[in-house]
Amino acid sequence: MSQNLPLVPAPIDDGRPSPDLPPLGLMAKLRSNLLQAPMFALFTGGFGSVALVASLFDRTGYSEHWLAQRWARCLTFIAGTSVTVIGGEVLEQHPVAVYAANHLSYMDTPVLFGKLPFQFRILAKHDLWKLPFVGWYLNRSGQIPVNLDDQRASVTSLKAGVKALKAGMPLFVFPEGGRAVDGHLQPFKSGPAFMAIKAQVPLVPIALVGTHELFPMHTHHFRPRPVTMVVGQPIRTEGMITREADALTERLRMVIAAMYYEHSTLPAPSVQASSLDPEAQSVVAVQEYSQKL
């Protein structure tokens, strides 16, 4: 099945937050504007500056990553959330892999940096490299920019990711290429599957649940609530070839969707299971069964 078939019709991004979220009260807005947002910026700038200095003395990236983890944990605390990890034992068993998660919010990155228990590199939109402090940290710490509008540059980024994997460095990527405005999964790009196949390392699915409600797209206000990070079983790629990347991408997407809607308060969109391959049909069956529990 084509990887471009979305689980739900892609919403029109009109620059407004998702209508499924209730309006915030005055006190919640004041708390976010006067306390949380300034602290968010202060901690980001502070940790970013220290990480830049540390990068001058540490060529391994360990110090920068250690600082990034502390920054991430501070930000989740400031946002008023606690993070529960389900399936965390997988992270200890398969450190060198391509880790892929759905993308809902700017808070996804702090959640992941705070909970992944090893140093890794991320593939992210090249636009982030233009941001003060954030972009400086990304550049100095060896993260990999991806320009989705330039096919040649994208291929170069994928090759850099494969090189990092073969050198023993785990990678993390958001296959959707951007945040979901309505909290539902978007179409996945095949880059993560391609890199996993080329490096012959597992592809580990991760579902982030609750970050859409915590800090939605097109808003400037935090909505404190718990977040869950669900780690699925690794999808092995030994013996696969790159022409199978699209099928592997669809499998990844269905697994993440099943985990996401099992734990999310959002209703799962309907899918015509008969149009899916047998392996994907089994995932949909699990998803439908979980909704009845």
Side-chain angles (χ1 to χ4, degrees):
M1 184 175 69
S2 171
Q3 72 187 72
N4 294 319
L5 179 63
L7 294 177
V8 292
I12 297 175
D13 186 358
D14 57 4
R16 293 181 294 179
S18 176
D20 66 298
L21 299 172
L24 280 179
L26 176 61
M27 291 305 297
K29 290 183 178 180
L30 289 175
R31 179 190 64 225
S32 186
N33 290 337
L34 301 180
L35 180 63
Q36 292 171 301
M39 290 182 66
F40 196 101
L42 179 64
F43 275 75
T44 298
F47 273 98
S49 299
V50 175
L52 284 174
V53 174
S55 69
L56 300 176
F57 304 96
D58 181 7
R59 306 285 293 184
T60 67
Y62 174 82
S63 298
E64 297 99 298
H65 191 78
W66 185 89
L67 287 165
Q69 284 187 318
R70 272 65 197 172
W71 161 81
R73 292 167 186 172
C74 288
L75 261 56
T76 53
F77 177 79
I78 291 169
T81 185
S82 59
V83 182
T84 299
V85 179
I86 299 174
E89 66 278 359
V90 173
L91 302 176
E92 303 290 346
Q93 298 167 0
H94 300 275
V96 181
V98 176
Y99 296 83
N102 56 313
H103 198 10
L104 303 168
S105 165
Y106 278 138
M107 284 304 299
D108 294 341
T109 300
V111 167
L112 289 158
F113 264 95
K115 288 301 180 181
L116 292 180
F118 43 75
Q119 187 180 168
F120 59 93
R121 297 290 182 264
I122 62 172
L123 274 80
K125 281 186 175 180
H126 73 293
D127 292 339
L128 295 176
W129 270 250
K130 302 175 184 178
L131 300 177
F133 297 106
V134 173
W136 303 338
Y137 164 78
L138 293 172
N139 186 57
R140 292 291 300 180
S141 59
Q143 313 305 326
I144 304 172
V146 179
N147 187 347
L148 298 176
D149 298 323
D150 187 329
Q151 185 175 4
R152 180 174 297 181
S154 296
V155 171
T156 300
S157 298
L158 294 178
K159 290 180 178 178
V162 172
K163 183 178 178 180
L165 288 166
K166 290 183 176 181
M169 180 62 69
L171 288 183
F172 179 83
V173 64
F174 294 114
E176 292 160 290
R179 292 167 293 155
V181 67
D182 62 350
H184 290 286
L185 269 69
Q186 303 177 93
F188 277 20
K189 302 183 185 301
S190 60
F194 173 86
M195 290 187 294
I197 292 173
K198 286 291 287 185
Q200 292 290 278
V201 298
L203 186 59
V204 179
I206 297 176
L208 297 175
V209 185
T211 53
H212 166 66
E213 293 82 359
L214 173 66
F215 193 60
M217 190 173 176
H218 299 315
T219 67
H220 303 285
H221 300 116
F222 294 95
R223 300 165 178 260
R225 55 151 295 144
V227 168
T228 302
M229 185 174 97
V230 188
V231 184
Q233 289 300 312
I235 304 172
R236 298 195 172 277
T237 63
E238 289 91 340
M240 296 185 71
I241 56 177
T242 54
R243 69 178 59 181
E244 298 177 87
D246 285 350
L248 181 58
T249 297
E250 190 59 43
R251 180 181 175 189
L252 170 71
R253 185 170 162 214
M254 295 304 299
V255 170
I256 292 177
M259 296 190 300
Y260 178 69
Y261 290 111
E262 180 180 355
H263 296 275
S264 176
T265 57
L266 289 175
S270 60
V271 179
Q272 295 297 323
S274 60
S275 67
L276 306 177
D277 58 70
E279 190 161 21
Q281 288 183 38
S282 67
V283 174
V284 173
V286 171
Q287 180 178 333
E288 294 176 342
Y289 173 73
S290 67
Q291 295 170 9
K292 299 177 182 178
L293 298 180

